């Protein structure tokens, strides 16, 4: 019990330390827009977000840093979980949000991420940055009719495993529904944006089930017999 209490006390400190560590790594491995990034970090420390972009100038997500893989793997969540799996969902009618996407009943096909995939996923999280993006985290949720059940579910689910047990998940797209079970402190490590989400969905497009555009009859897959 004492050990558990110490972990609870120490964990917020680890999250805070990661923000400082990530900022230091980004400054060390910055490859473009470095002065603008440093200026924004000063504004962040002062709790004074920078002015918005000029008229007809739209900020874009960019690969501004080149933090190497071995250093990215020492950052949360990669340093806390043994492995990461990707799953596509089972569509269950009359089961509305919020949903616990760690529950097996939502998992159709599920597989372990390779080292190359963890490299790309962590690259998107930590080496890409969206300038002037403060407060831009999720899409606005739109109510969608029941004739298209795919749109009521995420396209993919990332599952984070430790000691043989899944503990965390992120389901994409978020669609303004906060489809994850990370705490606000944990989630703040990711600099989340819609653009990052789109990049992740594009990278894992081979895992997305067919008929997501609902042009044909709704496709409801059977649960995989090879669940792990």
């Amino acid at each position: 019990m004492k050990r558990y209490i110490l972990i609870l006390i120490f964990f917020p400190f680890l999250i805070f330390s990661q923000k400082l560590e990530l900022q230091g790594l980004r400054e060390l491995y910055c490859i473009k827009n470095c002065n603008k990034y440093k200026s924004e970090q000063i504004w962040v420390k002062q709790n004074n977000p920078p002015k918005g972009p000029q008229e007809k100038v739209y900020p874009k997500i960019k690969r501004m840093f080149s933090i190497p893989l071995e250093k990215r793997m020492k950052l949360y969540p990669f340093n806390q979980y043994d492995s990461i799996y990707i799953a596509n969902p089972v569509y269950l009618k009359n089961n509305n949000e919020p949903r616990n996407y760690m529950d097996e009943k939502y998992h159709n096909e599920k597989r372990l991420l390779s080292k190359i995939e963890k490299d790309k996923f962590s690259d998107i999280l930590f080496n890409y940055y969206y300038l002037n993006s403060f407060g831009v985290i999720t899409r606005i949720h739109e109510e969608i009719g029941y004739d298209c059940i795919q749109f009521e579910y995420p396209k993919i689910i990332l599952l984070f495993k430790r000691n043989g047990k899944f503990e965390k998940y992120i389901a994409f797209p978020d669609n303004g529904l906060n489809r994850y079970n990370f705490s606000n402190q944990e989630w703040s490590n990711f600099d989340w944006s819609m653009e990052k989400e789109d990049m992740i969905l594009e990278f894992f497009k081979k895992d997305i089930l067919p008929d997501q555009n609902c042009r044909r009859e709704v496709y409801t897959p059977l649960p995989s017999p090879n669940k792990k």
Side-chain angles (χ1 to χ4, degrees):
M1 178 60 114
K2 185 182 294 185
R3 181 181 178 185
Y4 180 71
I5 293 172
L6 287 174
I7 291 173
L8 289 178
I9 294 173
F10 189 60
F11 190 71
F13 174 76
L14 292 177
I15 298 298
F16 177 74
S17 298
Q18 169 152 321
K19 290 183 180 180
L20 295 177
E21 182 179 1
L22 178 58
Q23 183 178 336
L25 288 170
R26 282 177 164 175
E27 291 178 359
L28 181 62
Y29 291 98
C30 187
I31 54 178
K32 62 172 63 175
N33 298 108
C34 302
N35 290 334
K36 191 170 184 180
Y37 169 73
K38 290 179 180 178
S39 297
E40 284 204 357
Q41 294 311 300
I42 293 173
W43 278 315
V44 170
K45 288 179 181 178
Q46 296 173 344
N47 195 26
N48 180 25
K51 296 179 181 178
Q54 298 176 0
E55 186 177 357
K56 296 183 180 181
V57 176
Y58 302 99
K60 294 181 179 179
I61 192 165
K62 299 176 181 179
R63 192 177 189 275
M64 292 173 49
F65 316 102
S66 60
I67 303 170
L69 175 61
E70 63 270 18
K71 294 189 180 295
R72 283 182 263 131
M73 290 298 101
K74 294 178 181 178
L75 295 171
Y76 184 84
F78 302 95
N79 62 349
Q80 294 290 319
Y81 297 94
D82 306 327
S83 52
I84 305 174
Y85 285 72
I86 184 168
N88 45 43
V90 172
Y91 306 125
L92 302 176
K93 293 184 178 180
N94 303 319
N95 199 338
N96 298 326
E97 298 276 6
R99 310 182 186 109
N100 177 11
Y101 287 109
M102 283 196 303
D103 194 323
E104 286 280 344
K105 69 182 180 182
Y106 294 114
H107 304 163
N108 180 47
E109 298 286 346
K110 185 164 58 187
R111 65 174 182 83
L112 180 68
L113 259 60
S114 68
K115 182 177 179 180
I116 293 175
E117 289 171 324
K118 288 174 70 174
D119 183 0
K120 181 60 178 179
F121 177 44
S122 63
D123 184 60
I124 292 171
L125 289 183
F126 300 127
N127 282 331
Y128 282 80
Y129 189 80
Y130 188 68
L131 290 166
N132 288 336
S133 63
F134 300 101
V136 179
I137 298 177
T138 60
R139 288 176 172 80
I140 297 174
H141 175 55
E142 297 180 2
E143 294 295 333
I144 301 172
Y146 284 93
D147 58 331
C148 192
I149 195 172
Q150 288 100 325
F151 290 160
E152 298 169 22
Y153 277 82
K155 295 180 180 181
I156 59 171
I157 305 163
L158 291 181
L159 301 157
F160 297 79
K161 180 180 273 190
R162 176 165 50 191
N163 298 326
K165 180 181 179 182
F166 290 119
E167 295 185 0
K168 298 288 183 178
Y169 69 84
I170 309 176
F172 307 91
D174 179 275
N175 199 24
L177 295 168
N178 296 337
R179 289 170 164 167
Y180 55 85
N181 66 340
F182 289 88
S183 70
N184 290 337
Q185 282 187 320
E186 292 163 350
W187 190 249
S188 67
N189 287 307
F190 303 149
D191 292 339
W192 203 250
S193 68
M194 292 181 289
E195 288 77 9
K196 282 189 180 183
E197 182 173 90
D198 290 339
M199 290 175 67
I200 291 167
L201 284 170
E202 175 63 22
F203 181 65
F204 290 114
K205 63 183 178 182
K206 67 181 181 182
D207 293 284
I208 297 175
L209 293 170
D211 298 325
Q212 287 284 3
N213 55 13
C214 289
R215 290 177 182 172
R216 288 173 279 175
E217 185 178 353
V218 169
Y219 173 69
T220 305
L222 295 174
S224 170
N226 301 316
K227 287 183 179 179
K228 298 180 180 179

